[in-house]
Amino acid sequence: MKKITIAIDGHSSCGKSTMAKALASKLGYVYVDTGAMYRCVTLFALRNECFNEDGSVNTEKLETMMGEIEISFQFNPETGKADAYLNGENVEKEIRLMEVSNHVSPIAAIPYVREAMVDQQRRMGQDKGIVMDGRDIGTTVFPDAELKIFVTASAEVRAKRRYDELIGKGEEADFEEILKNVQERDYIDSHREVSPLRQAEDALLLDNSNMTIEEQNIWLLEKAQEVIEG
């Protein structure tokens, strides 16, 4: 059976990672969470004081330190998922905190950061048999991907999902703060100069506002099998 490249793009907190992981597991494919890669860079920038007092990024300082950033993914047998590692440290929990969420979009908009991450992502997917999710996978990273999905949902639905996820992990969460973060990230992601978030012309649209996880997983698997078997 032939192997293909599957690109899943969409807005923040749409559940892209959850559905991409499930699809990769069903197909026996490699899964790569590109959003986690930008979150790792953001965590590194926060730890190394690469943000100015006004919240903007000290781009010159971060650029000089990019060579010190090594990102990898390792399978976690306890969760059955791949955890993100920053320079050999498991940072899966840290990169999901609101402090990182509030700073990741400006980091992801920096051209040299995107260039470095896209290069890594293309190397990861050169042998196909991969499911990759992010903001620009079908438009920039893998424009020739055999299957492209663009995922969306209302901002309120996405904020509620993020809120429930944090509460479920025992973290403190404020719905209005999360909603504001979701809306701000939508704007930044869609208006950045380099690889803005947009639906590729040949991407299938999936609005999962009113879908269960099971329903969307069935839909995705059907679309993937159509391409693989076709």
Side-chain angles (χ1 to χ4, degrees), residues 203-222:
L204 302 177
L205 179 65
L206 171 59
D207 185 333
N208 65 7
S209 297
N210 300 306
M211 295 176 74
T212 65
I213 292 177
E214 183 180 3
E215 287 172 340
Q216 72 179 15
N217 287 347
I218 291 172
W219 185 91
L220 280 167
L221 185 59
E222 287 177 349

Side-chain angles (χ1 to χ4, degrees), residues 6-229:
I6 300 174
I8 300 180
D9 291 310
H11 296 94
S12 65
S13 302
C14 269
K16 297 187 303 296
S17 298
T18 300
M19 68 178 72
K21 289 172 186 175
L23 182 58
S25 177
K26 285 280 182 62
L27 296 173
Y29 277 22
V30 174
Y31 164 70
V32 177
D33 179 358
T34 62
M37 297 174 71
Y38 289 102
R39 284 175 173 271
C40 284
V41 177
T42 303
L43 180 62
F44 178 90
L46 286 166
R47 287 178 170 181
N48 289 276
E49 301 179 347
C50 293
F51 285 92
N52 300 312
E53 289 187 7
D54 63 358
S56 62
V57 184
N58 184 333
T59 54
E60 291 184 1
K61 181 177 181 180
L62 179 59
E63 186 170 16
T64 64
M65 303 183 75
M66 283 299 293
E68 301 175 27
I69 301 176
E70 180 181 337
I71 300 168
S72 60
F73 294 92
Q74 295 182 30
F75 183 75
N76 184 333
E78 292 184 5
T79 63
K81 301 175 182 178
D83 289 343
Y85 281 72
L86 173 62
N87 296 331
E89 175 193 354
N90 187 330
V91 293
E92 185 64 31
K93 182 177 180 180
E94 287 82 353
I95 64 173
R96 307 298 174 184
L97 298 178
M98 281 304 298
E99 183 181 21
V100 172
S101 295
N102 287 332
H103 290 84
V104 66
S105 285
I107 289 288
I110 300 172
Y112 63 75
V113 173
R114 298 207 70 83
E115 182 178 346
M117 296 300 102
V118 168
D119 283 345
Q120 285 193 38
Q121 291 155 17
R122 284 177 175 157
R123 287 197 298 271
M124 291 175 181
Q126 61 188 3
D127 296 325
K128 295 189 179 292
I130 192 168
V131 180
M132 192 175 288
D133 75 274
R135 302 287 194 281
D136 61 349
I137 310 306
T139 54
T140 301
V141 183
F142 294 121
D144 297 324
E146 291 88 346
L147 177 60
K148 301 177 186 178
I149 307 292
F150 189 86
V151 192
T152 189
S154 71
E156 289 75 17
V157 166
R158 288 182 282 134
K160 181 63 165 58
R161 289 173 181 169
R162 182 66 178 148
Y163 173 84
D164 290 342
E165 179 185 3
L166 291 171
I167 293 297
K169 292 179 178 179
E171 307 285 348
E172 291 186 6
D174 179 277
F175 176 78
E176 293 302 325
E177 179 188 2
I178 294 171
L179 177 59
K180 181 182 178 183
N181 173 255
V182 166
Q183 293 169 331
E184 288 176 346
R185 289 180 66 187
D186 282 354
Y187 183 85
I188 294 173
D189 291 343
S190 301
H191 289 79
R192 64 180 179 230
E193 291 185 17
V194 181
S195 300
L197 171 65
R198 62 180 177 82
Q199 182 179 345
E201 291 184 0
D202 54 347
L204 302 177
L205 179 65
L206 171 59
D207 185 333
N208 65 7
S209 297
N210 300 306
M211 295 176 74
T212 65
I213 292 177
E214 183 180 3
E215 287 172 340
Q216 72 179 15
N217 287 347
I218 291 172
W219 185 91
L220 280 167
L221 185 59
E222 287 177 349
K223 298 303 179 186
Q225 289 175 332
E226 286 176 8
V227 176
I228 294 171
E229 296 170 3

